[in-house]
Amino acid sequence: DQQVKQNSPSLSVQEGRISILNCDYTNSMFDYFLWYKKYPAEGPTFLISISSIKDKNEDGRFTVFLNKSAKHLSLHIVPSQPGDSAVYFCAASTRPRDDKIIFGKGTRLHILP
Amino acid sequence: ETGVTQSPTHLIKTRGQQVTLRCSSQSGHNTVSWYQQALGQGPQFIFQYYREEENGRGNFPPRFSGLQFPNYSSELNVNALELDDSALYLCASSSASQTKSFYEQYFGPGTRLTVT
């Protein structure tokens, strides 16, 4: 029973273009969502988060959009840079300070020169 | 400021054996969470320790146990190893005293455990 789904195992995007990573969830009790980035041989790094009371959160080149009615969120990276090539994990929890975070399987992003 | 470190980097064990993995928290952090990441999967929450007490647990059997020490470093112990325990084990630290959420956890590089 996968509560957080990232249906695209991989994505290739030209450098300078927009990267859009998608995530769907099934648990309507989730109210806090996060994106993590992971390079090989390193642990995941927190990227950006969004609370369910918002529909958009922006931090530099990274923007996360939340559509609660569709139980869908997306991460936009503009413009995409070579250093963005990594695995991106979508994650969710039911409370802002919950100890249990549910991760998706991840999407591998390749930025092409 | 020292980041989260884990030891060992890699480990090979035989089914039925016991293993101990170690994690040193980032300086100033009092909360440690452990995750299991199987191949092709996202990290799965095992448990969390806050000030030396277990503060939440995921769907893992009792043979997965942990400790947190006064210096906030932590151990993950797994008894009676099974082949399916082969995975990357990640440790993450955070500080409950921050105004920010628990979620800004800082992950270590992980320990790759192989059970044969």
Side-chain angles (χ1 to χ4, degrees):
Chain A
D1 175 29
Q2 223 184 325
Q3 299 184 64
V4 177
K5 300 177 184 179
Q6 293 178 260
N7 292 321
S8 299
S10 68
L11 176 68
S12 294
V13 174
Q14 209 75 36
E15 182 180 352
R17 305 294 290 268
I18 182 172
S19 295
I20 301 176
L21 294 94
N22 293 305
C23 177
D24 298 297
Y25 61 95
T26 57
N27 188 343
S28 58
M29 300 300 290
F30 286 146
D31 61 6
Y32 201 74
F33 304 90
L34 310 95
W35 285 92
Y36 283 84
K37 175 180 180 179
K38 186 178 185 303
Y39 292 121
E42 294 183 13
T45 304
F46 171 77
L47 201 54
I48 192 169
S49 64
I50 188 167
S51 163
S52 61
I53 62 173
K54 295 185 174 182
D55 55 16
K56 177 182 175 181
N57 188 26
E58 193 171 353
D59 184 2
R61 296 186 299 114
F62 303 91
T63 303
V64 57
F65 295 91
L66 176 63
N67 182 334
K68 283 196 71 177
S69 60
K71 294 192 178 68
H72 177 83
L73 64 155
S74 60
L75 173 68
H76 292 211
I77 306 173
V78 183
S80 299
Q81 298 176 354
D84 296 331
S85 293
V87 176
Y88 288 79
F89 291 102
C90 173
S93 188
T94 55
R95 298 194 306 267
R97 294 179 89 71
D98 197 344
D99 48 41
K100 184 175 179 178
I101 303 174
I102 309 298
F103 283 82
K105 289 187 176 182
T107 296
R108 184 176 297 278
L109 177 64
H110 301 270
I111 304 301
L112 306 172
Chain B
E1 186 177 81
T2 306
V4 178
T5 60
Q6 293 186 241
S7 63
T9 306
H10 296 89
L11 199 54
I12 299 174
K13 288 285 190 178
T14 303
R15 190 171 48 185
Q17 285 187 316
Q18 179 267 343
V19 69
T20 297
L21 310 182
R22 294 179 175 84
C23 171
S24 291
S25 304
Q26 183 159 317
S27 176
H29 286 183
N30 55 18
T31 303
V32 173
S33 303
W34 285 92
Y35 295 82
Q36 180 196 66
Q37 186 180 6
L39 200 62
Q41 305 292 317
Q44 189 172 356
F45 177 75
I46 302 174
F47 44 56
Q48 182 183 84
Y49 278 82
Y50 170 62
R51 293 185 174 178
E52 303 177 56
E53 302 262 340
E54 189 177 290
N55 188 44
R57 189 177 182 94
N59 296 326
F60 281 81
R63 59 189 185 85
F64 285 78
S65 63
L67 282 174
Q68 187 181 30
F69 300 100
N71 66 355
Y72 303 129
S73 66
S74 177
E75 284 183 356
L76 164 66
N77 299 291
V78 187
N79 294 321
L81 283 167
E82 300 177 0
L83 296 178
D84 284 349
D85 295 333
S86 295
L88 179 69
Y89 288 85
L90 294 161
C91 160
S93 75
S94 57
S95 174
S97 64
Q98 289 174 345
T99 55
K100 296 176 182 177
S101 143
F102 269 146
Y103 296 126
E104 296 195 26
Q105 297 182 356
Y106 295 82
F107 282 83
T111 293
R112 173 74 61 188
L113 173 65
T114 302
V115 182
T116 62

